[in-house]
């Protein structure tokens, strides 16, 4: 039952972001998408299921994805007008995964 709740919460965040974006309120859509709702929920659920200790490595590992996320968004911004939506989006995901994998190897 708890996984249904997780699914509903995640779906709500996506729905609100999509709704705001479709109204031309891109700042609000971006804000809702990056609002740490899901990470706050994850912190709470990890804490409830395993205690305080596992929340710290989770938080530290979140920081590993800051640079890949910036590369992902940057690649999309730089390529969407040249390559089109789908190619830029897929390319952005590939860049994210690639930069994340490289950072994992380096660290």
């Amino acid at each position: 039952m708890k996984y249904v709740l997780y699914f509903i919460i995640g779906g709500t965040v996506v729905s609100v972001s999509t709704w705001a974006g479709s109204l031309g309120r891109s700042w609000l859509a971006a804000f809702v998408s990056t609002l740490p709702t899901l990470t706050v929920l994850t912190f709470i659920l990890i804490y409830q299921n395993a205690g305080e200790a596992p929340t710290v490595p989770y938080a530290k590992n979140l920081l590993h994805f800051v640079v890949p996320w910036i590369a992902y968004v940057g690649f999309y911004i730089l390529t969407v007008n040249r390559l089109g939506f789908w190619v830029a989006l897929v390319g952005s995901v590939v860049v994210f995964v690639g930069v994340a994998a490289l950072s994992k190897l380096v660290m």
Side-chain angles (χ1 to χ4, degrees), residues 5-89:
L5 179 62
Y6 305 165
F7 182 80
I8 290 170
I9 292 169
T12 301
V13 170
V14 171
S15 296
V16 171
S17 296
T18 304
W19 170 76
S22 68
L23 294 176
R25 301 178 73 180
S26 60
W27 187 91
L28 179 60
F31 177 78
V32 170
S33 295
T34 57
L35 191 65
T37 310
L38 296 178
T39 52
V40 167
L41 180 62
T42 304
F43 275 121
I44 292 168
L45 295 172
I46 290 172
Y47 173 75
Q48 287 180 337
N49 289 300
E52 185 177 297
T55 63
V56 175
Y58 169 71
K60 289 179 180 178
N61 282 312
L62 282 173
L63 295 175
H64 291 282
F65 296 99
V66 172
V67 172
W69 186 86
I70 291 170
Y72 157 75
V73 173
F75 184 88
Y76 179 81
I77 291 168
L78 294 173
T79 61
V80 69
N81 291 330
R82 293 181 208 131
L83 303 176
F85 174 79
W86 291 109
V87 174
L89 186 61

Side-chain angles (χ1 to χ4, degrees), residues 61 64-65 68 97-107:
N61 282 312
H64 291 282
F65 296 99
V97 172
V99 174
L102 285 173
S103 69
K104 177 71 174 168
L105 288 173
V106 171
M107 293 180 186

